Amino acid sequence: MSWQVMLSSMGEGMLRTLAIFFLTILFSMPLGMVVTLLRRSKFKIISGITKVYIAIMRGTPLMLQLLAWYFGPYYLFGASIRGYRFAAIIIGFTMNYAAYFAEIYRGGIESIPAGQYEAAEVLGYSKVQTFFKIILPQVMKTIMPSVTNEIITLVKDTSLAFALAYNEMFAIAKQIAASQTSFTPYVVAGVFYFVMNYVVAFVMERVEKSMDYYS
């Protein structure tokens, strides 16, 4: 196999990896905030169910969760799973990472002193205004390093999609390496993951600096 053909094949896998990455970020980060609010609910049933969800998502392997999301509808309801593979991958990644983001958000929210809420109430802010105008900006600044670490982990975790026979970057690298008995595809894949993580770290560092209110 020529370099041109190999890079073309791996380029297609790269696009699929990027699709998993960006769609997971798009859905999991806002869902994580919803989960956080449910986790902090005053209703014990709601907060209890949310705690169980977070515990399951964080306490079981992501690969196992992907298999459950993909094969679950068939084994539980006899539903057809044809054409469902990519959707199952996105659902699995989103639900898993939403749990992690939720705990990051919760830690950030609970780190805000109670005096911030009291001051906002004195100034006449509603609870919604207090959260979005006063609490959330401070929370985002506080949690940004943890969010960055989680996003970098996601870049590497996209390779787990191979468990559902989805031809993303790593899966294609394995196929080419096996057929050509060459280690080169793994090197190319490694460079891709490294560069992507470097870009993520660079962008997130810029975002952190933009939130440095005291500079």
Side-chain angles (χ1 to χ4, degrees):
M1 179 181 291
S2 67
W3 271 91
Q4 185 177 1
V5 174
M6 182 183 72
L7 292 177
S8 176
S9 298
M10 296 189 71
E12 294 179 9
M14 179 186 70
L15 293 177
R16 293 174 180 174
T17 293
L18 290 173
I20 295 171
F21 173 78
F22 285 114
L23 288 175
T24 300
I25 292 296
L26 178 64
F27 295 127
S28 65
M29 293 191 75
L31 179 59
M33 182 58 71
V34 173
V35 174
T36 297
L37 297 177
L38 294 176
R39 169 74 171 76
R40 290 168 51 82
S41 173
K42 295 180 180 179
F43 297 99
K44 297 298 183 181
I45 295 180
I46 295 177
S47 63
I49 293 174
T50 308
K51 287 179 184 178
V52 171
Y53 157 72
I54 292 174
I56 292 174
M57 292 297 104
R58 297 202 305 167
T60 57
L62 176 55
M63 185 181 295
L64 177 60
Q65 294 171 29
L66 290 173
L67 293 171
W69 282 110
Y70 182 59
F71 293 107
Y74 174 77
Y75 286 114
L76 294 176
F77 311 109
S80 172
I81 56 176
R82 179 175 298 178
Y84 173 61
R85 181 175 284 107
F86 184 69
I89 290 170
I90 299 303
I91 292 172
F93 272 94
T94 297
M95 298 301 288
N96 179 272
Y97 271 83
Y100 284 94
F101 283 128
E103 288 299 275
I104 292 173
Y105 296 153
R106 185 174 69 86
I109 292 173
E110 293 181 353
S111 70
I112 303 299
Q116 297 279 335
Y117 296 91
E118 295 169 358
E121 186 177 357
V122 170
L123 292 172
Y125 283 90
S126 67
K127 290 184 178 181
V128 174
Q129 290 175 323
T130 299
F131 181 76
F132 284 102
K133 292 186 177 182
I134 298 177
I135 304 302
L136 189 58
Q138 297 180 74
V139 168
M140 295 309 296
K141 176 176 168 56
T142 302
I143 68 174
M144 197 54 63
S146 298
V147 170
T148 299
N149 287 337
E150 208 59 45
I151 293 177
I152 288 175
T153 300
L154 172 60
V155 172
K156 294 175 286 187
D157 276 354
T158 54
S159 62
L160 294 177
F162 85 90
L164 298 186
Y166 186 73
N167 286 330
E168 43 68 54
M169 182 74 168
F170 185 69
I172 291 178
K174 285 180 61 179
Q175 293 171 6
I176 297 175
S179 64
Q180 301 296 315
T181 60
S182 171
F183 193 74
T184 303
Y186 290 124
V187 175
V188 174
V191 170
F192 164 76
Y193 288 118
F194 176 80
V195 171
M196 190 171 175
N197 274 326
Y198 180 84
V199 172
V200 168
F202 177 80
V203 171
M204 296 304 289
E205 183 180 0
R206 293 293 180 180
V207 173
E208 280 189 59
K209 288 183 177 180
S210 70
M211 293 183 175
D212 190 356
Y213 312 124
Y214 304 105
S215 62

